[in-house]
Amino acid sequence: MLQRFVHWLDDLLADEGAPVVVKAVVGVLSFAVLLGAILGSAAVKAGALVAAILVLLSLGLLLLADRRGLVRQVESYRTIISQLVDVASGDQRPAYRIVDWDEFVGVDSNGNARRRTTIRAKVLSKDLWVVPLVQGCGWPQPSRYRRQIGVAVRRFLGGDLPGASLTTTSTWVADGKFVLIVHLPEPPPEDSEITIAVEIEWPGMCAPLMRDRTPDDFTFRFATPVRHARYKVALPRGYDAYYEPIGFEEDHNGFTLGPAEDESGRSIFVFEGFDLPMRHGMGMRLELKERGA
């Protein structure tokens, strides 16, 4: 019974955190003590004493359960660090080459964005343990926005069947930019292809465009050659935008940029390119305008 209670407490800690549990226990104790003081009943006072004993026991179990959660987290990080050390100590040849990069950003009227990136890559190394991805927006977000960002990564199997979710770690390296590292459970075979989908719920990502009415850039830059890439930005219904290319000329062969509409009537702006150069930012700049202007 004690073991089941510890497991229950551990699950509660994982979902709600230690402060919530402590507050609940203290609240029960305070209520019991208040009843004892008002009613003066020996039975109630005895109940308050029992409650106090349970509080001490629960706090001890709280620390035990929290320790168990930390041990599991440390073991997980040890595995990840070991993989990163193996990657860092190996050769510096590119571990993969991007075959197709498809990015979609759906924006609401408050500048919040739902970002989905589907990446298909050819494996060039038998030691591909991690896929690092740099994510960014066009303004220095405060920490309260960063804490609300939600990330989900899933690998796709043959025939575009969704597989299990993948472990990720991330760190902020600059204002509005963070590195997302996708960890593969085992290296895929060399010369095979992998497909992963990254979904990000990003509060305030497009605040400059939607709230401040200032131009906002939507670009990507790759550290390896990319055969094909597409970037779509969908505005809320009733909104339109001026647009211009970034990193290429309008008549440049192999790159296109233009507006479109989806089935619901939303304005969509699409950049598409083939054989993108390395370490060269490309994409589009948008600025809101009145619909029909």
PDB file of all heavy atoms in Angstrom, residues 7 9 13 15 25 37 39 42 58 61 119 137 156 161 173 175 193 201 207 224 233 252 262 265:
ATOM      1  N   HIS A   7       3.915   5.784  -5.618  1.00  0.00           N
ATOM      2  CA  HIS A   7       3.770   5.888  -7.070  1.00  0.00           C
ATOM      3  C   HIS A   7       2.713   6.932  -7.439  1.00  0.00           C
ATOM      4  O   HIS A   7       2.890   7.704  -8.378  1.00  0.00           O
ATOM      5  CB  HIS A   7       3.385   4.524  -7.653  1.00  0.00           C
ATOM      6  CG  HIS A   7       4.517   3.546  -7.643  1.00  0.00           C
ATOM      7  ND1 HIS A   7       4.337   2.197  -7.830  1.00  0.00           N
ATOM      8  CD2 HIS A   7       5.846   3.718  -7.447  1.00  0.00           C
ATOM      9  CE1 HIS A   7       5.507   1.581  -7.764  1.00  0.00           C
ATOM     10  NE2 HIS A   7       6.431   2.484  -7.529  1.00  0.00           N
ATOM     11  N   LEU A   9       1.863   9.519  -5.627  1.00  0.00           N
ATOM     12  CA  LEU A   9       2.429  10.827  -5.317  1.00  0.00           C
ATOM     13  C   LEU A   9       3.437  11.246  -6.371  1.00  0.00           C
ATOM     14  O   LEU A   9       3.516  12.420  -6.758  1.00  0.00           O
ATOM     15  CB  LEU A   9       3.091  10.785  -3.933  1.00  0.00           C
ATOM     16  CG  LEU A   9       3.563  12.117  -3.337  1.00  0.00           C
ATOM     17  CD1 LEU A   9       2.390  13.082  -3.219  1.00  0.00           C
ATOM     18  CD2 LEU A   9       4.205  11.888  -1.974  1.00  0.00           C
ATOM     19  N   LEU A  13       3.245  14.565  -8.686  1.00  0.00           N
ATOM     20  CA  LEU A  13       4.360  15.509  -8.799  1.00  0.00           C
ATOM     21  C   LEU A  13       4.692  15.798 -10.252  1.00  0.00           C
ATOM     22  O   LEU A  13       4.964  16.936 -10.630  1.00  0.00           O
ATOM     23  CB  LEU A  13       5.594  14.943  -8.085  1.00  0.00           C
ATOM     24  CG  LEU A  13       5.685  15.163  -6.573  1.00  0.00           C
ATOM     25  CD1 LEU A  13       6.804  14.304  -6.000  1.00  0.00           C
ATOM     26  CD2 LEU A  13       5.897  16.609  -6.245  1.00  0.00           C
ATOM     27  N   ASP A  15       2.708  15.666 -12.796  1.00  0.00           N
ATOM     28  CA  ASP A  15       1.654  16.441 -13.458  1.00  0.00           C
ATOM     29  C   ASP A  15       1.516  17.853 -12.908  1.00  0.00           C
ATOM     30  O   ASP A  15       1.331  18.809 -13.651  1.00  0.00           O
ATOM     31  CB  ASP A  15       0.310  15.714 -13.312  1.00  0.00           C
ATOM     32  CG  ASP A  15       0.291  14.406 -14.086  1.00  0.00           C
ATOM     33  OD1 ASP A  15       1.069  14.297 -15.041  1.00  0.00           O
ATOM     34  OD2 ASP A  15      -0.492  13.514 -13.723  1.00  0.00           O
ATOM     35  N   VAL A  25      -1.631  19.652   1.160  1.00  0.00           N
ATOM     36  CA  VAL A  25      -1.436  19.031   2.476  1.00  0.00           C
ATOM     37  C   VAL A  25      -1.560  20.061   3.585  1.00  0.00           C
ATOM     38  O   VAL A  25      -2.214  19.836   4.619  1.00  0.00           O
ATOM     39  CB  VAL A  25      -0.069  18.328   2.522  1.00  0.00           C
ATOM     40  CG1 VAL A  25       0.231  17.834   3.934  1.00  0.00           C
ATOM     41  CG2 VAL A  25      -0.047  17.158   1.552  1.00  0.00           C
ATOM     42  N   ALA A  37      -9.897  23.863  17.191  1.00  0.00           N
ATOM     43  CA  ALA A  37      -9.923  25.083  18.005  1.00  0.00           C
ATOM     44  C   ALA A  37     -11.347  25.570  18.234  1.00  0.00           C
ATOM     45  O   ALA A  37     -11.694  26.061  19.306  1.00  0.00           O
ATOM     46  CB  ALA A  37      -9.094  26.174  17.325  1.00  0.00           C
ATOM     47  N   LEU A  39     -14.389  23.703  17.869  1.00  0.00           N
ATOM     48  CA  LEU A  39     -15.277  22.755  18.527  1.00  0.00           C
ATOM     49  C   LEU A  39     -14.748  22.262  19.867  1.00  0.00           C
ATOM     50  O   LEU A  39     -15.514  21.900  20.752  1.00  0.00           O
ATOM     51  CB  LEU A  39     -15.519  21.556  17.596  1.00  0.00           C
ATOM     52  CG  LEU A  39     -16.157  21.897  16.234  1.00  0.00           C
ATOM     53  CD1 LEU A  39     -16.291  20.646  15.394  1.00  0.00           C
ATOM     54  CD2 LEU A  39     -17.507  22.576  16.427  1.00  0.00           C
ATOM     55  N   ALA A  42     -12.392  16.431  21.738  1.00  0.00           N
ATOM     56  CA  ALA A  42     -11.196  15.595  21.854  1.00  0.00           C
ATOM     57  C   ALA A  42     -10.995  14.781  20.592  1.00  0.00           C
ATOM     58  O   ALA A  42      -9.862  14.559  20.147  1.00  0.00           O
ATOM     59  CB  ALA A  42     -11.326  14.681  23.079  1.00  0.00           C
ATOM     60  N   SER A  58       3.750  12.574   4.673  1.00  0.00           N
ATOM     61  CA  SER A  58       3.588  12.921   3.266  1.00  0.00           C
ATOM     62  C   SER A  58       4.747  13.754   2.742  1.00  0.00           C
ATOM     63  O   SER A  58       5.200  13.576   1.609  1.00  0.00           O
ATOM     64  CB  SER A  58       2.278  13.695   3.066  1.00  0.00           C
ATOM     65  OG  SER A  58       1.175  12.884   3.400  1.00  0.00           O
ATOM     66  N   LEU A  61       7.526  11.413   2.080  1.00  0.00           N
ATOM     67  CA  LEU A  61       7.275  10.682   0.841  1.00  0.00           C
ATOM     68  C   LEU A  61       7.382  11.596  -0.372  1.00  0.00           C
ATOM     69  O   LEU A  61       7.764  11.159  -1.462  1.00  0.00           O
ATOM     70  CB  LEU A  61       5.892  10.041   0.900  1.00  0.00           C
ATOM     71  CG  LEU A  61       5.724   8.921   1.939  1.00  0.00           C
ATOM     72  CD1 LEU A  61       4.278   8.454   1.973  1.00  0.00           C
ATOM     73  CD2 LEU A  61       6.653   7.761   1.634  1.00  0.00           C
ATOM     74  N   ILE A 119      10.532  17.275 -42.668  1.00  0.00           N
ATOM     75  CA  ILE A 119      11.891  17.180 -43.210  1.00  0.00           C
ATOM     76  C   ILE A 119      12.137  15.757 -43.694  1.00  0.00           C
ATOM     77  O   ILE A 119      11.974  14.795 -42.930  1.00  0.00           O
ATOM     78  CB  ILE A 119      12.932  17.536 -42.130  1.00  0.00           C
ATOM     79  CG1 ILE A 119      12.633  18.919 -41.551  1.00  0.00           C
ATOM     80  CG2 ILE A 119      14.342  17.474 -42.701  1.00  0.00           C
ATOM     81  CD1 ILE A 119      13.349  19.192 -40.250  1.00  0.00           C
ATOM     82  N   CYS A 137      12.411  33.516 -34.385  1.00  0.00           N
ATOM     83  CA  CYS A 137      11.390  34.473 -34.793  1.00  0.00           C
ATOM     84  C   CYS A 137      12.047  35.843 -34.882  1.00  0.00           C
ATOM     85  O   CYS A 137      13.226  36.000 -34.533  1.00  0.00           O
ATOM     86  CB  CYS A 137      10.214  34.486 -33.817  1.00  0.00           C
ATOM     87  SG  CYS A 137      10.609  35.083 -32.167  1.00  0.00           S
ATOM     88  N   PHE A 156       8.154   9.715 -39.269  1.00  0.00           N
ATOM     89  CA  PHE A 156       7.210   9.082 -40.169  1.00  0.00           C
ATOM     90  C   PHE A 156       7.839   7.845 -40.797  1.00  0.00           C
ATOM     91  O   PHE A 156       9.016   7.852 -41.176  1.00  0.00           O
ATOM     92  CB  PHE A 156       6.756  10.051 -41.255  1.00  0.00           C
ATOM     93  CG  PHE A 156       5.670  10.974 -40.796  1.00  0.00           C
ATOM     94  CD1 PHE A 156       5.931  12.017 -39.918  1.00  0.00           C
ATOM     95  CD2 PHE A 156       4.368  10.781 -41.225  1.00  0.00           C
ATOM     96  CE1 PHE A 156       4.925  12.854 -39.482  1.00  0.00           C
ATOM     97  CE2 PHE A 156       3.348  11.622 -40.791  1.00  0.00           C
ATOM     98  CZ  PHE A 156       3.617  12.656 -39.929  1.00  0.00           C
ATOM     99  N   LEU A 161       3.263   7.029 -42.767  1.00  0.00           N
ATOM    100  CA  LEU A 161       2.564   6.588 -41.564  1.00  0.00           C
ATOM    101  C   LEU A 161       3.252   7.179 -40.347  1.00  0.00           C
ATOM    102  O   LEU A 161       4.465   7.049 -40.195  1.00  0.00           O
ATOM    103  CB  LEU A 161       2.561   5.057 -41.467  1.00  0.00           C
ATOM    104  CG  LEU A 161       1.824   4.307 -42.581  1.00  0.00           C
ATOM    105  CD1 LEU A 161       2.016   2.804 -42.426  1.00  0.00           C
ATOM    106  CD2 LEU A 161       0.346   4.658 -42.562  1.00  0.00           C
ATOM    107  N   VAL A 173      19.766  30.331 -27.612  1.00  0.00           N
ATOM    108  CA  VAL A 173      21.117  30.816 -27.896  1.00  0.00           C
ATOM    109  C   VAL A 173      21.143  32.310 -28.170  1.00  0.00           C
ATOM    110  O   VAL A 173      22.201  32.918 -28.167  1.00  0.00           O
ATOM    111  CB  VAL A 173      21.734  30.060 -29.093  1.00  0.00           C
ATOM    112  CG1 VAL A 173      21.921  28.589 -28.743  1.00  0.00           C
ATOM    113  CG2 VAL A 173      20.852  30.194 -30.338  1.00  0.00           C
ATOM    114  N   ASP A 175      18.269  36.093 -28.549  1.00  0.00           N
ATOM    115  CA  ASP A 175      16.910  36.599 -28.459  1.00  0.00           C
ATOM    116  C   ASP A 175      16.081  36.095 -29.632  1.00  0.00           C
ATOM    117  O   ASP A 175      16.427  36.306 -30.800  1.00  0.00           O
ATOM    118  CB  ASP A 175      16.921  38.131 -28.461  1.00  0.00           C
ATOM    119  CG  ASP A 175      17.464  38.691 -27.158  1.00  0.00           C
ATOM    120  OD1 ASP A 175      17.441  37.952 -26.150  1.00  0.00           O
ATOM    121  OD2 ASP A 175      17.921  39.841 -27.150  1.00  0.00           O
ATOM    122  N   GLU A 193      16.513   6.840 -46.068  1.00  0.00           N
ATOM    123  CA  GLU A 193      15.883   8.141 -45.907  1.00  0.00           C
ATOM    124  C   GLU A 193      15.024   8.148 -44.651  1.00  0.00           C
ATOM    125  O   GLU A 193      14.396   7.143 -44.314  1.00  0.00           O
ATOM    126  CB  GLU A 193      15.020   8.498 -47.125  1.00  0.00           C
ATOM    127  CG  GLU A 193      15.821   8.908 -48.356  1.00  0.00           C
ATOM    128  CD  GLU A 193      14.959   9.541 -49.433  1.00  0.00           C
ATOM    129  OE1 GLU A 193      13.715   9.577 -49.252  1.00  0.00           O
ATOM    130  OE2 GLU A 193      15.520  10.007 -50.441  1.00  0.00           O
ATOM    131  N   GLU A 201       3.902  25.046 -31.250  1.00  0.00           N
ATOM    132  CA  GLU A 201       2.921  26.065 -30.887  1.00  0.00           C
ATOM    133  C   GLU A 201       3.705  27.234 -30.292  1.00  0.00           C
ATOM    134  O   GLU A 201       4.281  27.119 -29.217  1.00  0.00           O
ATOM    135  CB  GLU A 201       1.928  25.507 -29.866  1.00  0.00           C
ATOM    136  CG  GLU A 201       1.038  24.404 -30.394  1.00  0.00           C
ATOM    137  CD  GLU A 201      -0.064  24.930 -31.290  1.00  0.00           C
ATOM    138  OE1 GLU A 201      -0.280  26.157 -31.285  1.00  0.00           O
ATOM    139  OE2 GLU A 201      -0.706  24.119 -31.980  1.00  0.00           O
ATOM    140  N   ALA A 207       4.363  38.478 -33.691  1.00  0.00           N
ATOM    141  CA  ALA A 207       3.870  39.723 -33.101  1.00  0.00           C
ATOM    142  C   ALA A 207       4.282  40.963 -33.886  1.00  0.00           C
ATOM    143  O   ALA A 207       3.472  41.892 -34.043  1.00  0.00           O
ATOM    144  CB  ALA A 207       4.331  39.834 -31.648  1.00  0.00           C
ATOM    145  N   THR A 224      23.757  22.533 -44.811  1.00  0.00           N
ATOM    146  CA  THR A 224      24.042  21.523 -45.832  1.00  0.00           C
ATOM    147  C   THR A 224      23.251  21.862 -47.085  1.00  0.00           C
ATOM    148  O   THR A 224      22.242  22.580 -47.023  1.00  0.00           O
ATOM    149  CB  THR A 224      23.646  20.118 -45.347  1.00  0.00           C
ATOM    150  OG1 THR A 224      22.247  20.109 -45.056  1.00  0.00           O
ATOM    151  CG2 THR A 224      24.426  19.726 -44.102  1.00  0.00           C
ATOM    152  N   VAL A 233       3.337  30.749 -45.519  1.00  0.00           N
ATOM    153  CA  VAL A 233       2.836  31.544 -44.393  1.00  0.00           C
ATOM    154  C   VAL A 233       1.375  31.862 -44.670  1.00  0.00           C
ATOM    155  O   VAL A 233       1.053  32.491 -45.684  1.00  0.00           O
ATOM    156  CB  VAL A 233       3.640  32.842 -44.209  1.00  0.00           C
ATOM    157  CG1 VAL A 233       3.069  33.649 -43.046  1.00  0.00           C
ATOM    158  CG2 VAL A 233       5.114  32.535 -43.966  1.00  0.00           C
ATOM    159  N   HIS A 252      15.303  35.194 -60.590  1.00  0.00           N
ATOM    160  CA  HIS A 252      16.341  34.186 -60.420  1.00  0.00           C
ATOM    161  C   HIS A 252      15.769  32.808 -60.735  1.00  0.00           C
ATOM    162  O   HIS A 252      14.754  32.390 -60.175  1.00  0.00           O
ATOM    163  CB  HIS A 252      16.887  34.213 -58.988  1.00  0.00           C
ATOM    164  CG  HIS A 252      18.167  33.459 -58.831  1.00  0.00           C
ATOM    165  ND1 HIS A 252      18.259  32.093 -58.938  1.00  0.00           N
ATOM    166  CD2 HIS A 252      19.431  33.895 -58.562  1.00  0.00           C
ATOM    167  CE1 HIS A 252      19.498  31.703 -58.742  1.00  0.00           C
ATOM    168  NE2 HIS A 252      20.236  32.784 -58.522  1.00  0.00           N
ATOM    169  N   ASP A 262      -6.127  29.644 -49.714  1.00  0.00           N
ATOM    170  CA  ASP A 262      -6.545  28.284 -49.440  1.00  0.00           C
ATOM    171  C   ASP A 262      -8.062  28.172 -49.599  1.00  0.00           C
ATOM    172  O   ASP A 262      -8.735  29.140 -49.980  1.00  0.00           O
ATOM    173  CB  ASP A 262      -6.089  27.836 -48.045  1.00  0.00           C
ATOM    174  CG  ASP A 262      -6.766  28.613 -46.922  1.00  0.00           C
ATOM    175  OD1 ASP A 262      -7.658  29.435 -47.201  1.00  0.00           O
ATOM    176  OD2 ASP A 262      -6.380  28.387 -45.758  1.00  0.00           O
ATOM    177  N   GLY A 265     -10.260  30.797 -47.939  1.00  0.00           N
ATOM    178  CA  GLY A 265     -10.121  32.194 -48.323  1.00  0.00           C
ATOM    179  C   GLY A 265      -8.984  32.922 -47.643  1.00  0.00           C
ATOM    180  O   GLY A 265      -8.852  34.138 -47.801  1.00  0.00           O
TER     181      GLY A 265
END
